[in-house]
Amino acid sequence: MKEQLAAIVTEVESAVPALEKRAAFEAFKATISGPNGKLTAAMKGMKDVSKEDKPAMGKLLNATKQQIEAFYAEALERIEAVETAEKLGPSIDPTLPCPDTASGSLHPLTQTRRLMEQAFRKVGFTVAEGPELETEWYCFDALNTPEDHPARDAQDTLFLPEAADVDNVSKHGSERYLMRSHTSTVQIRTMMKEEPPLRIISPGRVFRRDTTDATHSANFHQMEGLYVDKNVTVVDLKAILDYFVAEIFGKGSTVRLRPSFFPFTEPSFELDMKTPNLGKLSNQWIELGGCGMVDPNVFKSVGYDPEQWTGYAFGMGIERIAMIVHGIDDIRYFYQNDLRFLSQFA
């Protein structure tokens, strides 16, 4: 039996390197280790070995099986490597340009913001920006908002801890820091740095403690506008809003102003728009935002003489404009990073 086992090992050792396909490997393996294989036959022959020789022959048989299994493992590893390489295809040259020509696109909110900015740039407005983390004075006091106003309640505005200290956001006094609830803060900071006349828009992200639903978000984007000059009237305000709505929603769009109240404008108005170009929303009044003439107290806060200067201000949500333009019925779509939604605006 020793000679028989040695012959089997020799046969396996010489045959295995030539096996290149899994089918050929399995066929050869069956001739050795299968039910009718040579190694199986040798194992069955153990019954004919004398009792004294069985321990030695059993040990030899186990050693032979281990040798053969090692040859099998080596061959199988080589065959699997070849199969994997065939599935992967030819090797990749990392210095070649990427074959994928697909490219990203601007987020629909970015597209809408740029569209709005372009409309106002055409008539002389410049873009002004400010910090998203603000202070209570710039967000409320300078905007003629009294201390007992609901917007200053901790349930409405995101305040930072009283001990918070931010080196790169200036304070007016010892007021607290907060996340700005509107971009009107940019108007205050701009007026404190620049002398009138000025004409700016201030787009950016704002934060409020709103419960998220189809029309509300704790984080959204606004664009506010400010024009300060001599003898500015409501006629000028109505004219810029007429122009803007026509630029964004097309010819035939009209605007109306409904009396309202905001602490920082007097008189104040709600801005509504109607257009024939919105499908099922065509020719229906839709609220866009708020506006009004800058309150004299705001000018006093920034050092402007309200006897010499007048101005108007307006504000609207960028998400709201985007939803109206594109017929989107849920503000949450903008923040879910769903390519099925975003790719529609590519």
Side-chain angles (χ1 to χ4, degrees), residues 87-327:
K87 291 179 181 179
L88 293 175
S91 59
I92 297 174
D93 182 355
T95 64
L96 293 176
C98 176
D100 185 3
T101 57
S103 58
S105 63
L106 293 176
H107 191 279
L109 291 181
T110 302
Q111 296 181 32
T112 303
R113 169 175 168 164
R114 293 188 178 183
L115 181 67
M116 296 168 70
E117 288 178 352
Q118 182 183 23
F120 286 114
R121 286 181 188 273
K122 288 181 180 179
V123 288
F125 283 78
T126 58
V127 176
E129 296 185 345
E132 294 178 352
L133 189 150
E134 263 294 356
T135 79
E136 206 170 359
W137 189 86
Y138 287 98
C139 199
F140 297 123
D141 295 285
L143 289 162
N144 197 39
T145 305
E147 291 186 4
D148 58 353
H149 193 279
R152 302 181 71 151
D153 193 285
Q155 299 303 313
D156 192 74
T157 300
L158 297 167
F159 285 90
L160 270 66
E162 292 189 18
D165 187 20
V166 183
D167 292 338
N168 62 339
V169 178
S170 61
K171 286 185 175 182
H172 186 266
S174 59
E175 72 272 17
R176 293 175 60 183
Y177 288 106
L178 50 81
M179 302 304 295
R180 67 183 182 188
S181 56
H182 47 198
T183 59
S184 301
T185 57
V186 181
Q187 300 177 14
I188 297 299
R189 289 186 178 274
T190 302
M191 286 191 286
M192 293 188 71
K193 291 188 298 183
E194 301 180 17
E195 293 296 324
L198 58 84
R199 189 179 304 187
I200 63 167
I201 51 173
S202 52
R205 186 165 56 169
V206 297
F207 309 85
R208 296 180 186 175
R209 296 189 62 172
D210 285 344
T211 300
T212 300
D213 57 26
T215 57
H216 296 84
S217 174
N219 155 74
F220 59 100
H221 300 78
Q222 274 189 340
M223 178 174 289
E224 301 199 13
L226 173 70
Y227 177 40
V228 181
D229 206 336
K230 295 179 179 179
N231 302 318
V232 179
T233 68
V234 174
V235 174
D236 301 300
L237 171 61
K238 179 66 163 50
I240 192 63
L241 296 175
D242 284 335
Y243 158 77
F244 171 74
V245 167
E247 280 285 302
I248 300 299
F249 299 103
K251 293 182 179 180
S253 303
T254 56
V255 165
R256 76 177 180 187
L257 302 179
R258 288 182 290 112
S260 185
F261 170 77
F262 302 108
F264 32 83
T265 52
E266 180 58 38
S268 302
F269 307 97
E270 297 288 351
L271 166 62
D272 297 335
M273 176 274 299
K274 181 170 65 174
T275 180
N277 308 311
L278 288 180
K280 64 181 181 180
L281 294 178
S282 296
N283 299 313
Q284 298 183 39
W285 288 111
I286 302 172
E287 182 180 329
L288 289 187
C291 58
M293 303 302 295
V294 179
D295 192 291
N297 288 331
V298 174
F299 284 150
K300 292 177 182 178
S301 297
V302 298
Y304 285 10
D305 182 358
E307 297 295 328
Q308 181 180 5
W309 304 104
T310 54
Y312 62 68
F314 56 84
M316 59 195 76
I318 295 177
E319 280 87 344
R320 186 164 186 79
I321 300 297
M323 292 172 74
I324 295 172
V325 169
H326 299 294

Side-chain angles (χ1 to χ4, degrees), residues 58-76:
K59 185 176 181 180
L60 178 61
L61 188 59
N62 287 332
T64 301
K65 287 175 60 179
Q66 291 176 1
Q67 279 185 283
I68 292 174
E69 291 295 336
F71 290 133
Y72 287 163
E74 180 183 347
L76 193 58

